[in-house]
């Protein structure tokens, strides 16, 4: 089965497209941020404010970080250079009454990269009433004055706690950019993942229904290749199962002819021998009939329709109770699933009949658990050894050694039960009860 429709672009192309769009969007946002937001304007302090802080005066700054005084064994570094730095050193030395060599102005500041910063500082200085001749220092700076004991008394700005105003604006812009790109990224990711999700859902349907239609997915080229391979595998598996089933059915059917000849040939035997041979032939014919029925049920699946499982179990229990069987069902919630009504009826009937035949009575209940419909049937029988819990589902396996139809049957009942359950995407298991007896648990996906 070929994949219909035209495949989309490969996943690698779509991922590269998404990455490229993200980079372009990030570049556009950064460019807009660069031209839209004003550059950060550093704080500046008058020389008089620095001197008063050095002397110990309590200075209060409403819009600027406070100045602090520390003591250091060495002079602050690296020293600042500039046209105004020597004049500021002389001014501080004269005001504090110390030699110029004992005053060091240090900091890590390069030339202003944006003229707007210079304009902003001049505007702020004018608003604060500073004259053009008044000296000031721009942060970050350190003004050190050597003391008599050789230590240095340093005036500097207090360390920053948290984000600065500029960093807050940047963070806000980046958050806005991420929010703006989120819908685009979500739509793109949804477009990439939708074919994979659809592929998984189709594979799940195939697990429930072996005769599900081939996958018809639209999406990247890789998904198309996977769908084609999946459809080819499904077709090969279907042909393989059909061929093997048809072969078993043909063998079982053809065995009827030699069995008929054997019945004619034993007519001339003595009565005692003829009875033994006839019993063996009856058993063989019964096994062939059961095999043909098993093959017929395995190859011809009914239409899947929504059905109410609780009502199905209740109707089966009522029918068996009318014939005198000790069968009861617990009233529970309604459980609706999609399945083959006739096949599920046979599955449940086999389990109920086994519970009555080998356990004396049957107690059934239906409920939902973890997205599955669960049917549990308890009996009061002897249970089974743990080593046989899986073997009993094998065709023609019987724990009861005789081949009497009244005591054990052919050995295909539980095989049919598991085949039907797994054909619906579920499974069946047997477990011994603590108080004695056996519990058959059927689990089917909703």
């Amino acid at each position: 089965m070929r994949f219909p429709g035209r495949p989309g672009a490969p996943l690698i192309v779509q991922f590269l497209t998404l990455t490229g769009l993200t980079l372009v969007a990030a570049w556009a946002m950064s460019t807009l941020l660069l031209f839209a937001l004003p550059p950060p304007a550093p704080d500046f302090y008058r020389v008089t404010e620095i001197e008063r802080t050095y002397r110990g005066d309590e200075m209060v700054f409403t819009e600027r970080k406070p100045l602090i005084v520390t003591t250091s064994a060495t002079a602050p570094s690296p020293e600042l250079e500039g046209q105004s730095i020597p004049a500021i050193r002389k001014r501080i030395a004269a005001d504090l009454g110390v030699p110029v060599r004992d005053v060091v102005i240090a900091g890590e500041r390069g030339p202003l990269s944006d003229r707007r910063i210079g304009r902003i500082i001049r505007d702020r200085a004018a608003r604060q009433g500073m004259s053009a001749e008044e000296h000031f220092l721009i942060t970050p700076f350190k003004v050190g004055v050597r003391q008599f004991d050789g230590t240095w008394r340093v005036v500097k700005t207090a360390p920053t706690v948290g984000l600065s105003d500029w960093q807050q604006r940047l963070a806000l812009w980046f958050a806005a950019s991420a929010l703006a790109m989120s819908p685009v990224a979500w739509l793109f990711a949804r477009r990439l993942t939708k074919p994979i999700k659809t592929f998984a859902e189709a594979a799940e349907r195939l697990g429930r229904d072996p005769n599900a239609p081939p996958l018809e997915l639209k999406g990247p080229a890789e998904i198309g290749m996977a769908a084609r391979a999946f459809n080819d595998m499904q077709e090969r598996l279907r042909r393989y199962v059909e061929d093997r089933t048809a072969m078993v059915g043909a063998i079982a059917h053809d065995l009827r002819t030699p069995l008929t000849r054997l019945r004619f040939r034993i007519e001339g035997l003595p009565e005692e021998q003829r009875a033994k041979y006839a019993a063996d032939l009856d058993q063989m014919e019964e096994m062939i009939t059961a095999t043909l029925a098993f093959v017929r049920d395995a190859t011809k699946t009914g239409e899947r329709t929504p059905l109410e499982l609780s009502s199905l179990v209740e109707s089966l229990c009522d029918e068996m109770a009318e014939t005198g069987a000790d069968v009861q069902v617990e009233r529970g919630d309604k459980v609706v699933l999609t399945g083959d009504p006739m096949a599920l009826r046979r599955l449940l009937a086999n389990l109920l009949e086994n519970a009555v035949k080998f356990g004396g009575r049957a107690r059934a209940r239906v409920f939902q658990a973890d997205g599955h419909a669960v049917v549990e049937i308890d009996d009061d029988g002897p249970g089974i050894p743990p080593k046989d819990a899986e073997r009993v589902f094998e065709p023609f396996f019987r724990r009861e050694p005789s081949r009497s139809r009244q005591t054990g049957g052919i050995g295909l009942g539980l095989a049919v039960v598991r085949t039907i359950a797994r054909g619906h995407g579920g499974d069946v298991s047997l477990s011994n009860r603590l108080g004695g007896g056996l519990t058959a648990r059927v689990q089917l996906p909703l």
Side-chain angles (χ1 to χ4, degrees), residues 11 34 103 122 140 172 237 276 302 340 356 361:
L11 280 175
L34 178 63
V103 177
R122 287 195 297 270
L172 181 61
L237 287 175
K276 293 180 180 179
D340 181 354
V356 173
R361 69 186 184 101

Side-chain angles (χ1 to χ4, degrees), residues 106-118:
E108 297 180 355
R109 184 176 74 251
L112 297 180
S113 58
D114 197 318
R115 294 180 180 179
R116 290 179 294 178
I117 298 179

Side-chain angles (χ1 to χ4, degrees), residues 127-368:
R127 288 196 301 269
Q128 294 181 15
M130 293 178 60
S131 64
E133 294 79 13
E134 189 172 358
H135 294 295
F136 60 87
L137 289 176
I138 300 175
T139 58
F141 64 83
K142 295 179 181 179
V143 177
V145 180
R146 181 159 47 192
Q147 307 297 301
F148 294 108
D149 58 359
T151 60
W152 291 81
R153 189 175 174 86
V154 181
V155 179
K156 60 182 181 179
T157 55
T160 302
V161 178
L163 299 178
S164 64
D165 293 340
W166 171 257
Q167 291 172 333
Q168 291 177 5
R169 290 196 295 269
L170 283 179
L172 181 61
W173 267 89
F174 285 135
S177 302
L179 290 176
M181 286 297 298
S182 295
V184 178
W186 180 83
L187 291 174
F188 220 102
R190 185 174 180 270
R191 180 181 178 184
L192 290 177
T193 57
K194 184 178 180 180
I196 300 176
K197 180 181 179 181
T198 306
F199 186 89
E201 292 174 351
E204 176 66 19
R205 288 195 301 270
L206 176 62
R208 299 184 183 185
D209 184 6
N211 295 318
L215 303 182
E216 296 183 3
L217 298 178
K218 296 180 181 180
E222 291 83 354
I223 298 296
M225 294 174 60
R228 285 193 294 271
F230 196 92
N231 289 337
D232 292 341
M233 177 193 68
Q234 175 185 348
E235 186 64 24
R236 287 194 294 268
L237 287 175
R238 182 183 292 115
R239 289 198 302 265
Y240 176 81
V241 173
E242 289 177 353
D243 292 345
R244 294 301 183 271
T245 305
M247 181 183 66
V248 173
I251 293 173
H253 182 272
D254 292 344
L255 284 176
R256 291 181 178 274
T257 301
L259 284 178
T260 303
R261 290 199 298 265
L262 288 174
R263 288 188 182 278
F264 284 110
R265 291 175 181 176
I266 65 174
E267 292 298 328
L269 296 177
E271 180 64 27
E272 182 179 354
Q273 294 182 357
R274 186 169 65 250
K276 293 180 180 179
Y277 284 125
D280 291 338
L281 291 175
D282 290 341
Q283 180 179 330
M284 292 177 64
E285 187 169 2
E286 185 178 353
M287 294 176 65
I288 292 173
T289 302
T291 302
L292 289 174
F294 177 77
V295 171
R296 182 179 62 253
D297 293 338
T299 54
K300 296 181 180 180
T301 57
E303 181 181 356
R304 303 287 176 95
T305 59
L307 60 92
E308 209 284 295
L309 192 61
S310 302
S311 299
L312 178 60
V313 175
E314 291 173 5
S315 64
L316 285 172
C317 292
D318 292 341
E319 292 174 3
M320 295 183 64
E322 291 176 356
T323 62
D326 187 0
V327 180
Q328 294 182 6
V329 59
E330 298 179 6
R331 302 295 178 180
D333 298 334
K334 301 297 182 182
V335 180
V336 179
L337 55 81
T338 300
D340 181 354
M342 296 303 298
L344 292 178
R345 184 180 182 87
R346 184 178 181 187
L347 179 154
L348 297 171
N350 284 355
L351 292 178
L352 290 170
E353 290 172 359
N354 283 349
V356 173
K357 182 185 297 185
F358 299 107
R361 69 186 184 101
R363 298 293 182 267
R365 55 186 169 273
V366 182
F367 57 93
Q368 296 185 35

Side-chain angles (χ1 to χ4, degrees), residues 415-433:
V416 171
V417 167
R418 172 158 284 185
T419 299
I420 296 174
R422 290 183 173 178
H424 283 74
D427 207 348
V428 60
S429 61
L430 301 178
S431 59
N432 292 317
R433 298 167 56 199

Side-chain angles (χ1 to χ4, degrees), residues 34-167:
L34 178 63
F35 288 99
L37 287 182
D43 294 331
F44 60 93
Y45 298 84
R46 295 184 176 93
V47 171
T48 55
E49 294 173 336
I50 297 173
E51 293 173 352
R52 290 180 61 185
T53 302
Y54 175 83
R55 293 189 180 99
D57 294 344
E58 189 72 24
M59 301 293 296
V60 178
F61 304 99
T62 57
E63 298 181 356
R64 295 173 291 172
K65 293 181 292 185
L67 294 174
I68 60 174
V69 181
T70 61
T71 301
S72 174
T74 58
S77 62
E79 294 188 21
L80 284 176
E81 298 180 358
Q83 296 179 354
S84 61
I85 296 301
I88 296 175
R89 290 180 60 199
K90 291 180 182 179
R91 170 68 182 275
I92 293 176
D95 292 344
L96 298 180
V98 297
V100 176
R101 64 176 179 274
D102 291 341
V103 177
V104 174
I105 300 177
E108 297 180 355
R109 184 176 74 251
L112 297 180
S113 58
D114 197 318
R115 294 180 180 179
R116 290 179 294 178
I117 298 179
R119 291 197 298 267
I120 293 173
I121 292 177
R122 287 195 297 270
D123 293 342
R124 290 179 57 185
R127 288 196 301 269
Q128 294 181 15
M130 293 178 60
S131 64
E133 294 79 13
E134 189 172 358
H135 294 295
F136 60 87
L137 289 176
I138 300 175
T139 58
F141 64 83
K142 295 179 181 179
V143 177
V145 180
R146 181 159 47 192
Q147 307 297 301
F148 294 108
D149 58 359
T151 60
W152 291 81
R153 189 175 174 86
V154 181
V155 179
K156 60 182 181 179
T157 55
T160 302
V161 178
L163 299 178
S164 64
D165 293 340
W166 171 257
Q167 291 172 333

